[in-house]
Amino acid sequence: MRLLPRTALIAAGLFAVAACSSGEPAPPEPSGSQRIVFVGPRFDIWTVQGDGSNPARLTGGRTPGVTGTDVALRSQQEQRVRYTWPTWSPDGGSVAVSRTPGIGGGALASLVLFDAEGSAARPLHETHPLAIPLVATGAPHYALWAPTSETLSFVAPRGPGQGLGLFVVRPGDGGPYEVAADAPLYHVWSPDGRYILVHRRGELLLHDTRDRSTTDLGADSLRYRVPAFSPDGDRIAYVVEEDGAGRLVTSNLDGSDRVPLMDIPGEAAFAWSPGGGSVAVGTKGFSAVLYDDLHVVDGDGAGANEPLVRERVAAFYWSPDGSRIAYVTVDGPMEWRVIDLTSGESRRRARFIPSADFLTHVQFFDQFAPSHLVWSADSTTLVFSGVIERGAARQVWVVDAVGSEDPRPIGEGRLAFWAPSPTK
């Protein structure tokens, strides 16, 4: 099934933020009406409702001038332009997309900012010849919006022979500035959009976007990739080295008041629960590809010795309501499983072969989880791209995470995520 209607357009206000008259947050939008954004087989970008209806193309179509505001509509087939890794702002108003080749003369790639209707505001970054072309397999950039949607951070090539850098830009308020350089670079935003926690090589840095200052927290470790902020923004989680061993801890933002959660004999990935009461932790041996187990640890360390899952885990993702964790196991083919944290029941949902781009997401799930959403806002369904039946085309699949319905294809695609819910 292919979604290629010629006249589909993005409707104005498609991702406008809804508000309740009482001022209370509205309930999450049902997954059937929430939009999915996906990269088609020809590297153009589409959105579609979760039930497969109302497809609309964000890129492709007519061919404007190079410097116009409609770069997003450049003809894919005539210009051989490719768009990928769309990163939507939490408020739904803007989307950053990697474009190859770049907009400037000779540029290898560009990170371009669009509005929700598909018009490009401007290029934010260009990758020039002799620079590192990709930050990960198939990804010219990695972009992450601040939760406030006011600021965008991104990892991109710095220049010929200069490696990668982490940049921050406030769209419409000047150009990007560099926060840190030298890969590996992983980062996460504080909930209020003020701070960025950066794990550069082994160093843990706290960057304040208000005065552009950066503080080394003196907590070096290579046993993890992405640090974490608690949902209320008061605490941070990371791994430290103590007496030759690793330990997952939480602390205040300045590194004081450390509370140990669990020992890390090798390496770990972790994510705070949406409610903030616990942390999901996967552990593995040094340089291993897969995690050996999955724990859910309370804020005081309770539960550290009792794995929730004892399987070969490639990735794991909290549901938005914190009631479940979806995880990908690898026992032959990959498989989606969902565990209910109240009952402890783990259910098999779909065996699959990931698309090449979704495999990149799985490999770096702890970095991609906050920027490219696999869970619907109502915590009932998952979305991914890949193959369920051997020999079939890559499809975008919607997976029932709470019931027993079979996975449902909604179109051909290389990469797919949920767009932010307009009620979020």
mmCIF file of all heavy atoms in Angstrom, residues 5 59 70 97 116 150 205 247 266 271 306 338 364-365 413 423:
data_model
loop_
_atom_site.group_PDB
_atom_site.id
_atom_site.type_symbol
_atom_site.label_atom_id
_atom_site.label_comp_id
_atom_site.label_asym_id
_atom_site.label_seq_id
_atom_site.Cartn_x
_atom_site.Cartn_y
_atom_site.Cartn_z
ATOM 1 N N PRO A 5 -0.924 10.456 -3.087
ATOM 2 C CA PRO A 5 -1.881 11.324 -3.781
ATOM 3 C C PRO A 5 -1.199 12.604 -4.222
ATOM 4 O O PRO A 5 -0.441 13.199 -3.472
ATOM 5 C CB PRO A 5 -2.949 11.605 -2.713
ATOM 6 C CG PRO A 5 -2.245 11.422 -1.412
ATOM 7 C CD PRO A 5 -1.219 10.348 -1.648
ATOM 8 N N THR A 59 7.004 17.255 1.774
ATOM 9 C CA THR A 59 8.021 17.601 0.789
ATOM 10 C C THR A 59 7.670 16.988 -0.548
ATOM 11 O O THR A 59 7.007 15.959 -0.627
ATOM 12 C CB THR A 59 9.415 17.098 1.194
ATOM 13 O OG1 THR A 59 9.397 15.671 1.250
ATOM 14 C CG2 THR A 59 9.834 17.646 2.534
ATOM 15 N N ASP A 70 10.122 28.081 -0.353
ATOM 16 C CA ASP A 70 9.458 26.809 -0.584
ATOM 17 C C ASP A 70 10.453 25.696 -0.904
ATOM 18 O O ASP A 70 10.201 24.838 -1.738
ATOM 19 C CB ASP A 70 8.448 26.922 -1.727
ATOM 20 C CG ASP A 70 7.266 27.795 -1.348
ATOM 21 O OD1 ASP A 70 6.847 27.761 -0.182
ATOM 22 O OD2 ASP A 70 6.789 28.516 -2.223
ATOM 23 N N VAL A 97 14.484 19.207 9.320
ATOM 24 C CA VAL A 97 14.644 18.063 8.428
ATOM 25 C C VAL A 97 16.024 18.108 7.789
ATOM 26 O O VAL A 97 16.504 19.170 7.384
ATOM 27 C CB VAL A 97 13.563 18.074 7.323
ATOM 28 C CG1 VAL A 97 13.760 16.916 6.356
ATOM 29 C CG2 VAL A 97 12.172 18.015 7.931
ATOM 30 N N ALA A 116 4.781 24.026 9.926
ATOM 31 C CA ALA A 116 3.924 22.840 9.862
ATOM 32 C C ALA A 116 3.215 22.693 8.526
ATOM 33 O O ALA A 116 2.703 21.626 8.216
ATOM 34 C CB ALA A 116 2.884 22.882 10.988
ATOM 35 N N GLU A 150 11.085 26.450 21.949
ATOM 36 C CA GLU A 150 11.674 27.743 21.615
ATOM 37 C C GLU A 150 13.089 27.631 21.053
ATOM 38 O O GLU A 150 13.560 28.546 20.381
ATOM 39 C CB GLU A 150 11.712 28.641 22.866
ATOM 40 C CG GLU A 150 10.330 28.977 23.413
ATOM 41 C CD GLU A 150 10.415 29.768 24.700
ATOM 42 O OE1 GLU A 150 11.532 29.897 25.241
ATOM 43 O OE2 GLU A 150 9.365 30.232 25.169
ATOM 44 N N LEU A 205 28.840 17.599 31.182
ATOM 45 C CA LEU A 205 28.816 19.058 31.157
ATOM 46 C C LEU A 205 27.386 19.557 31.308
ATOM 47 O O LEU A 205 26.451 18.966 30.768
ATOM 48 C CB LEU A 205 29.397 19.589 29.840
ATOM 49 C CG LEU A 205 30.733 19.015 29.377
ATOM 50 C CD1 LEU A 205 31.091 19.550 27.992
ATOM 51 C CD2 LEU A 205 31.837 19.343 30.382
ATOM 52 N N ARG A 247 28.702 3.254 38.878
ATOM 53 C CA ARG A 247 27.503 3.350 39.703
ATOM 54 C C ARG A 247 26.565 4.383 39.101
ATOM 55 O O ARG A 247 26.970 5.514 38.808
ATOM 56 C CB ARG A 247 27.860 3.727 41.135
ATOM 57 C CG ARG A 247 26.645 3.878 42.060
ATOM 58 C CD ARG A 247 27.064 3.932 43.511
ATOM 59 N NE ARG A 247 27.582 2.641 43.949
ATOM 60 C CZ ARG A 247 28.124 2.422 45.156
ATOM 61 N NH1 ARG A 247 28.229 3.408 46.014
ATOM 62 N NH2 ARG A 247 28.569 1.226 45.471
ATOM 63 N N GLY A 266 29.330 -3.116 33.900
ATOM 64 C CA GLY A 266 29.800 -2.870 32.544
ATOM 65 C C GLY A 266 29.331 -1.524 32.049
ATOM 66 O O GLY A 266 29.836 -0.482 32.453
ATOM 67 N N ALA A 271 16.508 5.593 31.539
ATOM 68 C CA ALA A 271 15.515 6.622 31.226
ATOM 69 C C ALA A 271 14.591 6.797 32.408
ATOM 70 O O ALA A 271 14.103 5.804 32.974
ATOM 71 C CB ALA A 271 14.717 6.242 29.986
ATOM 72 N N GLU A 306 16.621 -6.857 41.308
ATOM 73 C CA GLU A 306 15.585 -7.719 40.750
ATOM 74 C C GLU A 306 15.251 -7.284 39.324
ATOM 75 O O GLU A 306 14.455 -6.370 39.113
ATOM 76 C CB GLU A 306 14.321 -7.661 41.623
ATOM 77 C CG GLU A 306 14.511 -8.149 43.041
ATOM 78 C CD GLU A 306 14.840 -9.637 43.080
ATOM 79 O OE1 GLU A 306 14.426 -10.350 42.156
ATOM 80 O OE2 GLU A 306 15.515 -10.063 44.033
ATOM 81 N N VAL A 338 5.825 -5.740 25.077
ATOM 82 C CA VAL A 338 5.343 -4.674 25.955
ATOM 83 C C VAL A 338 5.082 -5.274 27.325
ATOM 84 O O VAL A 338 4.365 -6.277 27.445
ATOM 85 C CB VAL A 338 4.064 -4.016 25.403
ATOM 86 C CG1 VAL A 338 3.550 -2.964 26.378
ATOM 87 C CG2 VAL A 338 4.322 -3.399 24.025
ATOM 88 N N PHE A 364 20.639 3.593 18.821
ATOM 89 C CA PHE A 364 20.866 4.770 19.658
ATOM 90 C C PHE A 364 19.543 5.227 20.287
ATOM 91 O O PHE A 364 19.239 6.409 20.355
ATOM 92 C CB PHE A 364 21.479 5.901 18.820
ATOM 93 C CG PHE A 364 22.829 5.569 18.250
ATOM 94 C CD1 PHE A 364 22.953 5.124 16.942
ATOM 95 C CD2 PHE A 364 23.976 5.673 19.021
ATOM 96 C CE1 PHE A 364 24.190 4.795 16.409
ATOM 97 C CE2 PHE A 364 25.222 5.345 18.504
ATOM 98 C CZ PHE A 364 25.334 4.908 17.193
ATOM 99 N N PHE A 365 18.780 4.256 20.766
ATOM 100 C CA PHE A 365 17.426 4.529 21.250
ATOM 101 C C PHE A 365 17.403 5.522 22.394
ATOM 102 O O PHE A 365 16.460 6.314 22.530
ATOM 103 C CB PHE A 365 16.754 3.229 21.693
ATOM 104 C CG PHE A 365 17.295 2.670 22.982
ATOM 105 C CD1 PHE A 365 16.684 2.945 24.185
ATOM 106 C CD2 PHE A 365 18.442 1.887 22.989
ATOM 107 C CE1 PHE A 365 17.188 2.445 25.379
ATOM 108 C CE2 PHE A 365 18.954 1.377 24.167
ATOM 109 C CZ PHE A 365 18.331 1.662 25.372
ATOM 110 N N GLY A 413 7.442 3.009 3.799
ATOM 111 C CA GLY A 413 8.244 4.039 4.447
ATOM 112 C C GLY A 413 9.555 3.521 4.993
ATOM 113 O O GLY A 413 9.673 2.350 5.360
ATOM 114 N N THR A 423 -2.769 18.012 21.632
ATOM 115 C CA THR A 423 -3.252 18.249 22.974
ATOM 116 C C THR A 423 -2.150 18.149 24.001
ATOM 117 O O THR A 423 -2.401 18.242 25.189
ATOM 118 C CB THR A 423 -4.356 17.234 23.333
ATOM 119 O OG1 THR A 423 -3.848 15.896 23.240
ATOM 120 C CG2 THR A 423 -5.540 17.395 22.411
#
